[in-house]
Every structure is written in structure tokens, then in C-alpha cells.
Amino acid sequence: MIRILLAEDDRVMREYLTRALERSGYAVSAVDRGTEALPLLENERFDLLLTDIVMPEMDGIELAQKASELAPDMRVMFITGFAAVTLKAGKQVPQARILSKPFHLRDLVLEVDRLFEAENASLN
């Protein structure tokens, strides 16, 4: 099963995203800040880091950079409502996908599905 680490400081959004991804067959561990995500990244294996960019204590860009040191093969997807932040993320973590808020849950799930199409095809 594909494992996703979700870092989102908005509780309602975090719960909403977690439910949608779990319903689509993904295993999700959700945290409310980047500093809470780091110990999980050190001790567990994840296939995708799905992170908000603007969060307290550690933003999603810094989290993604630290995550790439801990788990170089893990994919990264940013979610954000700030256009200027999107440009910064694209420059600092160029291999990451970026999904701008507002988005429909179906769009998020489709993006995650696309990231793992090859893996999903080999499992079936």
C-alpha cells in the first residue's frame, strides 16, 4: 500500500484530505506541522510527502528539503493558496508537484494517482 505523509496545519483541511486519500486506497499519516513530520520521516518509510507550504514553525519547502535528505526517493507534492509561494517552491524543490488551493478533492486524488500510476499498474 502506498504511504502518504500529510503535513497540513488547518485541522479541517487535514481531516478532509486524509479521508479522501484513505477512501482512494492510500495509507495516510497526518500531522499539523513540519516539525511533527520530521520524526516520522526519520523512523518510517513514505512514498509521498503531501505538504502545505505555509505552516507554523517550519514551512513546507524547508520540510521537503529535509525530507529529501532523509528519503531521497520519496515524492513531494505541495498544496498552497499563495501564488508567490508557489513560485518559490517551484524554484527550491523543482521536482515537486504543486496543487493550488482551492482544488476539488477529486483533483488531488487524481494527481496522487498519476504520481503512482506505474506502481499501481504493477500491483494489479
Side-chain angles (χ1 to χ4, degrees):
M1 180 178 277
I2 292 172
R3 300 192 66 221
I4 298 173
L5 178 56
L6 170 63
E8 167 62 66
D9 60 322
D10 180 281
R11 182 185 58 80
V12 173
M13 177 68 86
R14 187 172 59 251
E15 292 171 359
Y16 198 51
L17 296 175
T18 299
R19 275 196 306 275
L21 291 164
E22 287 176 344
R23 276 194 214 115
S24 297
Y26 297 103
V28 181
S29 295
V31 297
D32 67 354
R33 61 193 67 230
T35 51
E36 195 178 322
L38 285 179
L40 293 177
L41 288 167
E42 290 168 354
N43 298 306
E44 299 179 43
R45 185 194 64 78
F46 294 95
D47 301 291
L48 173 65
L49 171 63
L50 178 60
T51 181
D52 191 2
I53 295 178
V54 179
M55 294 186 293
E57 295 179 16
M58 176 188 296
D59 69 25
I61 296 170
E62 185 181 352
L63 173 61
Q65 290 169 332
K66 289 182 185 295
S68 68
E69 294 168 13
L70 295 167
D73 295 333
M74 184 176 55
R75 294 172 180 175
V76 176
M77 183 183 296
F78 293 117
I79 47 180
T80 186
F82 300 94
V85 173
T86 300
L87 294 173
K88 180 181 173 190
K91 288 178 185 164
Q92 293 188 332
V93 188
Q95 72 279 15
R97 295 244 179 129
I98 302 170
L99 194 60
S100 296
K101 294 177 187 175
F103 55 82
H104 192 282
L105 279 180
R106 179 179 57 243
D107 296 330
L108 170 71
V109 172
L110 283 172
E111 279 297 311
V112 173
D113 286 347
R114 278 189 207 115
L115 281 175
F116 296 106
E117 276 177 352
E119 287 91 337
N120 288 339
S122 67
L123 294 175
N124 294 334

PDB file of all heavy atoms in Angstrom, residues 29-53:
ATOM      1  N   SER A  29      -0.650   9.156   7.074  1.00  0.00           N
ATOM      2  CA  SER A  29      -0.280   9.634   8.405  1.00  0.00           C
ATOM      3  C   SER A  29      -0.333  11.151   8.308  1.00  0.00           C
ATOM      4  O   SER A  29       0.325  11.740   7.448  1.00  0.00           O
ATOM      5  CB  SER A  29       1.137   9.191   8.779  1.00  0.00           C
ATOM      6  OG  SER A  29       1.206   7.784   8.885  1.00  0.00           O
ATOM      7  N   ALA A  30      -1.133  11.775   9.178  1.00  0.00           N
ATOM      8  CA  ALA A  30      -1.331  13.224   9.083  1.00  0.00           C
ATOM      9  C   ALA A  30      -0.793  13.933  10.320  1.00  0.00           C
ATOM     10  O   ALA A  30      -0.997  13.476  11.444  1.00  0.00           O
ATOM     11  CB  ALA A  30      -2.814  13.528   8.903  1.00  0.00           C
ATOM     12  N   VAL A  31      -0.108  15.045  10.084  1.00  0.00           N
ATOM     13  CA  VAL A  31       0.436  15.877  11.156  1.00  0.00           C
ATOM     14  C   VAL A  31       0.071  17.334  10.877  1.00  0.00           C
ATOM     15  O   VAL A  31      -0.248  17.698   9.748  1.00  0.00           O
ATOM     16  CB  VAL A  31       1.969  15.728  11.285  1.00  0.00           C
ATOM     17  CG1 VAL A  31       2.345  14.294  11.675  1.00  0.00           C
ATOM     18  CG2 VAL A  31       2.671  16.129   9.997  1.00  0.00           C
ATOM     19  N   ASP A  32       0.150  18.163  11.916  1.00  0.00           N
ATOM     20  CA  ASP A  32      -0.278  19.549  11.759  1.00  0.00           C
ATOM     21  C   ASP A  32       0.861  20.544  11.569  1.00  0.00           C
ATOM     22  O   ASP A  32       0.634  21.739  11.512  1.00  0.00           O
ATOM     23  CB  ASP A  32      -1.161  19.975  12.933  1.00  0.00           C
ATOM     24  CG  ASP A  32      -0.416  20.054  14.258  1.00  0.00           C
ATOM     25  OD1 ASP A  32       0.768  19.669  14.318  1.00  0.00           O
ATOM     26  OD2 ASP A  32      -1.033  20.503  15.247  1.00  0.00           O
ATOM     27  N   ARG A  33       2.100  20.053  11.459  1.00  0.00           N
ATOM     28  CA  ARG A  33       3.239  20.963  11.256  1.00  0.00           C
ATOM     29  C   ARG A  33       4.455  20.178  10.780  1.00  0.00           C
ATOM     30  O   ARG A  33       4.562  18.973  11.027  1.00  0.00           O
ATOM     31  CB  ARG A  33       3.558  21.740  12.520  1.00  0.00           C
ATOM     32  CG  ARG A  33       3.948  20.874  13.695  1.00  0.00           C
ATOM     33  CD  ARG A  33       3.958  21.597  15.027  1.00  0.00           C
ATOM     34  NE  ARG A  33       2.587  21.954  15.353  1.00  0.00           N
ATOM     35  CZ  ARG A  33       2.205  23.187  15.717  1.00  0.00           C
ATOM     36  NH1 ARG A  33       3.064  24.143  15.843  1.00  0.00           N
ATOM     37  NH2 ARG A  33       0.951  23.440  15.980  1.00  0.00           N
ATOM     38  N   GLY A  34       5.342  20.872  10.130  1.00  0.00           N
ATOM     39  CA  GLY A  34       6.539  20.226   9.602  1.00  0.00           C
ATOM     40  C   GLY A  34       7.423  19.618  10.668  1.00  0.00           C
ATOM     41  O   GLY A  34       8.001  18.550  10.479  1.00  0.00           O
ATOM     42  N   THR A  35       7.541  20.308  11.815  1.00  0.00           N
ATOM     43  CA  THR A  35       8.398  19.786  12.880  1.00  0.00           C
ATOM     44  C   THR A  35       7.855  18.467  13.437  1.00  0.00           C
ATOM     45  O   THR A  35       8.614  17.653  13.946  1.00  0.00           O
ATOM     46  CB  THR A  35       8.543  20.809  14.025  1.00  0.00           C
ATOM     47  OG1 THR A  35       7.244  21.247  14.438  1.00  0.00           O
ATOM     48  CG2 THR A  35       9.364  22.001  13.590  1.00  0.00           C
ATOM     49  N   GLU A  36       6.569  18.236  13.315  1.00  0.00           N
ATOM     50  CA  GLU A  36       5.979  16.976  13.746  1.00  0.00           C
ATOM     51  C   GLU A  36       6.200  15.886  12.700  1.00  0.00           C
ATOM     52  O   GLU A  36       6.205  14.694  13.011  1.00  0.00           O
ATOM     53  CB  GLU A  36       4.480  17.174  14.006  1.00  0.00           C
ATOM     54  CG  GLU A  36       3.833  16.052  14.794  1.00  0.00           C
ATOM     55  CD  GLU A  36       2.360  16.326  15.066  1.00  0.00           C
ATOM     56  OE1 GLU A  36       1.987  17.491  15.330  1.00  0.00           O
ATOM     57  OE2 GLU A  36       1.584  15.365  15.008  1.00  0.00           O
ATOM     58  N   ALA A  37       6.396  16.275  11.460  1.00  0.00           N
ATOM     59  CA  ALA A  37       6.612  15.312  10.374  1.00  0.00           C
ATOM     60  C   ALA A  37       8.016  14.715  10.403  1.00  0.00           C
ATOM     61  O   ALA A  37       8.207  13.548  10.033  1.00  0.00           O
ATOM     62  CB  ALA A  37       6.359  15.985   9.023  1.00  0.00           C
ATOM     63  N   LEU A  38       9.002  15.488  10.831  1.00  0.00           N
ATOM     64  CA  LEU A  38      10.394  15.026  10.765  1.00  0.00           C
ATOM     65  C   LEU A  38      10.648  13.710  11.502  1.00  0.00           C
ATOM     66  O   LEU A  38      11.274  12.809  10.939  1.00  0.00           O
ATOM     67  CB  LEU A  38      11.350  16.116  11.261  1.00  0.00           C
ATOM     68  CG  LEU A  38      11.565  17.267  10.287  1.00  0.00           C
ATOM     69  CD1 LEU A  38      12.512  18.300  10.893  1.00  0.00           C
ATOM     70  CD2 LEU A  38      12.090  16.785   8.951  1.00  0.00           C
ATOM     71  N   PRO A  39      10.173  13.544  12.755  1.00  0.00           N
ATOM     72  CA  PRO A  39      10.424  12.256  13.425  1.00  0.00           C
ATOM     73  C   PRO A  39       9.802  11.074  12.679  1.00  0.00           C
ATOM     74  O   PRO A  39      10.377   9.979  12.659  1.00  0.00           O
ATOM     75  CB  PRO A  39       9.783  12.420  14.810  1.00  0.00           C
ATOM     76  CG  PRO A  39       9.564  13.876  14.992  1.00  0.00           C
ATOM     77  CD  PRO A  39       9.514  14.493  13.628  1.00  0.00           C
ATOM     78  N   LEU A  40       8.655  11.297  12.062  1.00  0.00           N
ATOM     79  CA  LEU A  40       8.031  10.227  11.286  1.00  0.00           C
ATOM     80  C   LEU A  40       8.896   9.872  10.076  1.00  0.00           C
ATOM     81  O   LEU A  40       9.066   8.700   9.744  1.00  0.00           O
ATOM     82  CB  LEU A  40       6.627  10.635  10.837  1.00  0.00           C
ATOM     83  CG  LEU A  40       5.588  10.808  11.947  1.00  0.00           C
ATOM     84  CD1 LEU A  40       4.268  11.295  11.362  1.00  0.00           C
ATOM     85  CD2 LEU A  40       5.383   9.521  12.716  1.00  0.00           C
ATOM     86  N   LEU A  41       9.430  10.895   9.427  1.00  0.00           N
ATOM     87  CA  LEU A  41      10.292  10.661   8.260  1.00  0.00           C
ATOM     88  C   LEU A  41      11.574   9.924   8.641  1.00  0.00           C
ATOM     89  O   LEU A  41      12.108   9.148   7.857  1.00  0.00           O
ATOM     90  CB  LEU A  41      10.647  11.991   7.586  1.00  0.00           C
ATOM     91  CG  LEU A  41       9.510  12.659   6.833  1.00  0.00           C
ATOM     92  CD1 LEU A  41       9.870  14.098   6.491  1.00  0.00           C
ATOM     93  CD2 LEU A  41       9.173  11.875   5.578  1.00  0.00           C
ATOM     94  N   GLU A  42      12.044  10.162   9.856  1.00  0.00           N
ATOM     95  CA  GLU A  42      13.267   9.504  10.315  1.00  0.00           C
ATOM     96  C   GLU A  42      13.029   8.032  10.641  1.00  0.00           C
ATOM     97  O   GLU A  42      13.943   7.219  10.544  1.00  0.00           O
ATOM     98  CB  GLU A  42      13.827  10.232  11.542  1.00  0.00           C
ATOM     99  CG  GLU A  42      14.386  11.599  11.198  1.00  0.00           C
ATOM    100  CD  GLU A  42      14.680  12.459  12.420  1.00  0.00           C
ATOM    101  OE1 GLU A  42      14.343  12.042  13.557  1.00  0.00           O
ATOM    102  OE2 GLU A  42      15.240  13.551  12.244  1.00  0.00           O
ATOM    103  N   ASN A  43      11.805   7.687  11.041  1.00  0.00           N
ATOM    104  CA  ASN A  43      11.531   6.343  11.552  1.00  0.00           C
ATOM    105  C   ASN A  43      10.639   5.480  10.677  1.00  0.00           C
ATOM    106  O   ASN A  43      10.500   4.285  10.940  1.00  0.00           O
ATOM    107  CB  ASN A  43      10.912   6.440  12.950  1.00  0.00           C
ATOM    108  CG  ASN A  43      11.866   7.089  13.937  1.00  0.00           C
ATOM    109  OD1 ASN A  43      12.987   6.645  14.088  1.00  0.00           O
ATOM    110  ND2 ASN A  43      11.434   8.170  14.566  1.00  0.00           N
ATOM    111  N   GLU A  44      10.003   6.053   9.673  1.00  0.00           N
ATOM    112  CA  GLU A  44       9.088   5.295   8.837  1.00  0.00           C
ATOM    113  C   GLU A  44       9.375   5.593   7.372  1.00  0.00           C
ATOM    114  O   GLU A  44      10.033   6.574   7.044  1.00  0.00           O
ATOM    115  CB  GLU A  44       7.630   5.674   9.154  1.00  0.00           C
ATOM    116  CG  GLU A  44       7.211   5.377  10.584  1.00  0.00           C
ATOM    117  CD  GLU A  44       5.776   5.776  10.861  1.00  0.00           C
ATOM    118  OE1 GLU A  44       4.912   5.505  10.012  1.00  0.00           O
ATOM    119  OE2 GLU A  44       5.529   6.378  11.919  1.00  0.00           O
ATOM    120  N   ARG A  45       8.837   4.737   6.493  1.00  0.00           N
ATOM    121  CA  ARG A  45       9.012   4.939   5.061  1.00  0.00           C
ATOM    122  C   ARG A  45       7.704   5.459   4.467  1.00  0.00           C
ATOM    123  O   ARG A  45       6.636   4.921   4.745  1.00  0.00           O
ATOM    124  CB  ARG A  45       9.381   3.612   4.379  1.00  0.00           C
ATOM    125  CG  ARG A  45       9.706   3.767   2.905  1.00  0.00           C
ATOM    126  CD  ARG A  45       9.725   2.440   2.175  1.00  0.00           C
ATOM    127  NE  ARG A  45       8.428   1.780   2.146  1.00  0.00           N
ATOM    128  CZ  ARG A  45       7.417   2.113   1.335  1.00  0.00           C
ATOM    129  NH1 ARG A  45       7.537   3.108   0.482  1.00  0.00           N
ATOM    130  NH2 ARG A  45       6.274   1.448   1.369  1.00  0.00           N
ATOM    131  N   PHE A  46       7.803   6.510   3.685  1.00  0.00           N
ATOM    132  CA  PHE A  46       6.647   7.079   2.996  1.00  0.00           C
ATOM    133  C   PHE A  46       6.968   7.180   1.514  1.00  0.00           C
ATOM    134  O   PHE A  46       8.117   7.383   1.126  1.00  0.00           O
ATOM    135  CB  PHE A  46       6.299   8.466   3.549  1.00  0.00           C
ATOM    136  CG  PHE A  46       5.822   8.437   4.972  1.00  0.00           C
ATOM    137  CD1 PHE A  46       6.702   8.647   6.021  1.00  0.00           C
ATOM    138  CD2 PHE A  46       4.493   8.172   5.263  1.00  0.00           C
ATOM    139  CE1 PHE A  46       6.267   8.610   7.340  1.00  0.00           C
ATOM    140  CE2 PHE A  46       4.043   8.128   6.580  1.00  0.00           C
ATOM    141  CZ  PHE A  46       4.931   8.339   7.619  1.00  0.00           C
ATOM    142  N   ASP A  47       5.925   7.063   0.696  1.00  0.00           N
ATOM    143  CA  ASP A  47       6.092   7.177  -0.753  1.00  0.00           C
ATOM    144  C   ASP A  47       5.891   8.610  -1.230  1.00  0.00           C
ATOM    145  O   ASP A  47       6.407   9.002  -2.263  1.00  0.00           O
ATOM    146  CB  ASP A  47       5.076   6.261  -1.461  1.00  0.00           C
ATOM    147  CG  ASP A  47       5.268   4.820  -1.034  1.00  0.00           C
ATOM    148  OD1 ASP A  47       6.299   4.231  -1.410  1.00  0.00           O
ATOM    149  OD2 ASP A  47       4.407   4.280  -0.320  1.00  0.00           O
ATOM    150  N   LEU A  48       5.105   9.377  -0.450  1.00  0.00           N
ATOM    151  CA  LEU A  48       4.779  10.750  -0.835  1.00  0.00           C
ATOM    152  C   LEU A  48       4.684  11.637   0.389  1.00  0.00           C
ATOM    153  O   LEU A  48       4.058  11.268   1.386  1.00  0.00           O
ATOM    154  CB  LEU A  48       3.424  10.783  -1.575  1.00  0.00           C
ATOM    155  CG  LEU A  48       2.852  12.167  -1.907  1.00  0.00           C
ATOM    156  CD1 LEU A  48       3.727  12.922  -2.903  1.00  0.00           C
ATOM    157  CD2 LEU A  48       1.431  12.041  -2.442  1.00  0.00           C
ATOM    158  N   LEU A  49       5.306  12.806   0.287  1.00  0.00           N
ATOM    159  CA  LEU A  49       5.100  13.871   1.267  1.00  0.00           C
ATOM    160  C   LEU A  49       4.147  14.856   0.607  1.00  0.00           C
ATOM    161  O   LEU A  49       4.468  15.441  -0.427  1.00  0.00           O
ATOM    162  CB  LEU A  49       6.423  14.570   1.603  1.00  0.00           C
ATOM    163  CG  LEU A  49       6.289  15.841   2.450  1.00  0.00           C
ATOM    164  CD1 LEU A  49       5.687  15.543   3.819  1.00  0.00           C
ATOM    165  CD2 LEU A  49       7.637  16.536   2.585  1.00  0.00           C
ATOM    166  N   LEU A  50       2.967  14.995   1.189  1.00  0.00           N
ATOM    167  CA  LEU A  50       1.960  15.948   0.713  1.00  0.00           C
ATOM    168  C   LEU A  50       1.901  17.038   1.761  1.00  0.00           C
ATOM    169  O   LEU A  50       1.472  16.797   2.894  1.00  0.00           O
ATOM    170  CB  LEU A  50       0.605  15.244   0.569  1.00  0.00           C
ATOM    171  CG  LEU A  50      -0.579  16.093   0.139  1.00  0.00           C
ATOM    172  CD1 LEU A  50      -0.340  16.738  -1.222  1.00  0.00           C
ATOM    173  CD2 LEU A  50      -1.842  15.251   0.107  1.00  0.00           C
ATOM    174  N   THR A  51       2.383  18.221   1.420  1.00  0.00           N
ATOM    175  CA  THR A  51       2.524  19.251   2.443  1.00  0.00           C
ATOM    176  C   THR A  51       2.011  20.609   1.994  1.00  0.00           C
ATOM    177  O   THR A  51       2.201  21.017   0.846  1.00  0.00           O
ATOM    178  CB  THR A  51       4.001  19.376   2.906  1.00  0.00           C
ATOM    179  OG1 THR A  51       4.095  20.378   3.924  1.00  0.00           O
ATOM    180  CG2 THR A  51       4.941  19.724   1.775  1.00  0.00           C
ATOM    181  N   ASP A  52       1.359  21.276   2.943  1.00  0.00           N
ATOM    182  CA  ASP A  52       1.023  22.678   2.761  1.00  0.00           C
ATOM    183  C   ASP A  52       2.351  23.422   2.771  1.00  0.00           C
ATOM    184  O   ASP A  52       3.331  22.957   3.351  1.00  0.00           O
ATOM    185  CB  ASP A  52       0.129  23.138   3.925  1.00  0.00           C
ATOM    186  CG  ASP A  52      -0.494  24.503   3.701  1.00  0.00           C
ATOM    187  OD1 ASP A  52      -0.277  25.114   2.638  1.00  0.00           O
ATOM    188  OD2 ASP A  52      -1.207  24.971   4.601  1.00  0.00           O
ATOM    189  N   ILE A  53       2.421  24.558   2.140  1.00  0.00           N
ATOM    190  CA  ILE A  53       3.674  25.314   2.149  1.00  0.00           C
ATOM    191  C   ILE A  53       3.738  26.247   3.350  1.00  0.00           C
ATOM    192  O   ILE A  53       4.730  26.295   4.054  1.00  0.00           O
ATOM    193  CB  ILE A  53       3.871  26.088   0.824  1.00  0.00           C
ATOM    194  CG1 ILE A  53       4.042  25.101  -0.332  1.00  0.00           C
ATOM    195  CG2 ILE A  53       5.092  27.001   0.931  1.00  0.00           C
ATOM    196  CD1 ILE A  53       4.194  25.736  -1.692  1.00  0.00           C
TER     197      ILE A  53
END
